[in-house]
């Protein structure tokens, strides 16, 4: 049985006092997690060190929403893997569609970041997903295949086993429009087959593939019940402890 990983992407929400409140509420709502379920919260950079302190002794992992592909240097505004680790991060989201769309991140750059994260001992949550236009043109499979090949290039098998892939159809992020469980399952199967082709089936069977795109307490159980859906990357619904904890509970219903 694969572990289910529910990750919360706080995006550019929650200052320090709000971080304090949300972490306290999450810890109170979920002093422990269901068996075989892990959860990661990904606050913005300024809140990471505080969240890392507050999460000590709790079942939640800490993750960042982005990182540099470089170790260190004159890269104004960037944050390295080593810096993230020092705050207590064990995960990092890479290649979120908002990074691709607003900051021009390419598969090549995301791949460089993923390799850097892995070599630093972080687990990357690598995002892929098609736009509405691509889905309507019927090219979802090709788009996902190209993205997967690009973002996973040269990642050795032992590192791949620690990586998480998040399938996030761009048209479902923050829109309230969710992929049907069948649509999600179809693409997750394509991704698992791709991983099997690039590596082997034993590895593909172990990889956690999350779905992201308007996951809420009322649709989480059905999406997460699909064979190849091994977790969720949650945006809007992770900003409140009651909705995020309801999604975590739905993972093992
Ligand atoms: C996301 O930010 O990755 C996401 C899936 O957002 P939402 O749940 O709000 O659609």
């Amino acid at each position: 049985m694969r572990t289910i990983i529910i990750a919360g992407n706080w995006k550019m929400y929650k200052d320090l006092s709000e971080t304090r409140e949300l972490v306290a509420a999450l810890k109170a709502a979920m002093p422990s997690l269901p068996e075989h379920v892990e959860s990661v919260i990904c606050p913005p950079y300024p809140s990471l060190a505080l969240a890392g302190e507050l999460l000590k002794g709790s079942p939640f992992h800490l993750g960042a929403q982005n990182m540099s592909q470089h170790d260190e240097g004159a890269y104004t505004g960037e944050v390295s893997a080593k810096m993230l680790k020092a705050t207590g991060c064990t995960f990092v989201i890479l290649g979120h569609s908002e990074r691709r769309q607003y900051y021009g991140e390419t598969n090549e750059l995301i791949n460089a970041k993923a390799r850097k994260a892995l070599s630093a001992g972080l687990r990357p949550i690598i995002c892929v997903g098609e736009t509405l236009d691509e889905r309507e043109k019927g090219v979802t499979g090709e788009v996902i295949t190209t993205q997967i090949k690009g973002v996973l290039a040269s990642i050795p098998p032992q590192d791949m086993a620690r990586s998480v892939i998040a399938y996030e159809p761009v048209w479902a992020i923050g829109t309230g429009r969710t992929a049907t469980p069948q649509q999600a399952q179809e693409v997750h199967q394509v991704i698992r087959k791709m991983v099997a082709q690039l590596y082997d089936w034993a590895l593909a069977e172990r990889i956690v593939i999350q779905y992201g795109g308007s996951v809420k307490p009322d649709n989480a159980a059905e999406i997460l019940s699909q064979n190849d859906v091994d977790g969720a990357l949650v945006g809007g619904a992770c900003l409140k402890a009651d909705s995020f904890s309801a999604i975590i509970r739905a993972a093992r219903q």
Side-chain angles (χ1 to χ4, degrees):
M1 187 194 277
R2 285 185 289 271
T3 303
I4 287 195
I5 303 181
I6 308 291
N9 174 10
W10 292 15
K11 308 196 185 187
M12 200 172 73
Y13 294 101
K14 308 292 179 188
D15 62 15
L16 289 177
S17 68
E18 292 163 332
T19 296
R20 219 177 262 289
E21 276 170 34
L22 181 50
V23 171
L26 280 171
K27 283 164 65 174
M30 303 262 29
S32 63
L33 300 184
E35 225 184 321
H36 304 297
V37 178
E38 292 185 37
S39 184
V40 191
I41 61 162
C42 305
Y45 287 144
S47 290
L48 285 175
L50 173 64
E53 279 304 312
L54 298 172
L55 288 177
K56 278 184 185 155
S58 86
F60 291 94
H61 301 291
L62 183 67
Q65 300 171 21
N66 182 28
M67 59 163 253
S68 170
Q69 72 277 31
H70 301 293
D71 285 324
E72 63 179 358
Y75 300 106
T76 303
E78 291 292 284
V79 171
S80 71
K82 185 177 165 212
M83 293 168 187
L84 295 183
K85 285 196 74 184
T87 68
C89 281
T90 47
F91 284 81
V92 58
I93 300 170
L94 296 175
H96 189 279
S97 71
E98 287 151 16
R99 301 286 328 161
R100 292 175 184 261
Q101 191 180 343
Y102 305 136
Y103 303 98
E105 294 204 1
T106 59
N107 292 325
E108 199 182 11
L109 176 63
I110 297 158
N111 173 250
K113 291 184 177 195
R115 285 187 286 130
K116 187 57 72 181
L118 285 159
S119 69
L122 289 167
R123 295 186 68 183
I125 297 176
I126 307 170
C127 304
V128 295
E130 81 287 3
T131 61
L132 185 57
D133 184 49
E134 289 162 343
R135 174 153 290 261
E136 285 175 349
K137 282 191 181 130
V139 294
T140 298
E142 288 92 314
V143 169
I144 298 294
T145 301
T146 304
Q147 289 179 341
I148 288 287
K149 276 190 188 154
V151 295
L152 301 186
S154 307
I155 295 183
Q158 67 276 18
D159 281 347
M160 192 56 221
R162 294 189 290 121
S163 304
V164 173
I165 296 171
Y167 166 56
E168 298 207 301
V170 179
W171 47 273
I173 298 177
T175 59
R177 198 175 154 189
T178 325
T180 64
Q182 295 69 30
Q183 283 172 325
Q185 168 59 22
E186 226 170 74
V187 178
H188 281 231
Q189 227 172 13
V190 168
I191 294 173
R192 206 175 298 286
K193 277 190 188 147
M194 271 311 297
V195 174
Q197 262 176 42
L198 295 170
Y199 297 89
D200 58 47
W201 264 110
L203 181 49
E205 290 291 358
R206 284 170 56 199
I207 293 292
V208 171
I209 308 175
Q210 295 176 320
Y211 168 80
S214 299
V215 175
K216 308 281 178 218
D218 60 359
N219 60 24
E222 204 187 352
I223 293 174
L224 290 165
S225 69
Q226 301 300 305
N227 273 347
D228 289 290
V229 178
D230 314 312
L233 181 51
V234 183
C238 78
L239 297 173
K240 291 213 163 89
D242 56 354
S243 44
F244 193 54
S245 52
I247 292 171
I248 297 172
R249 277 192 217 98
R252 280 289 176 227
Q253 266 176 17

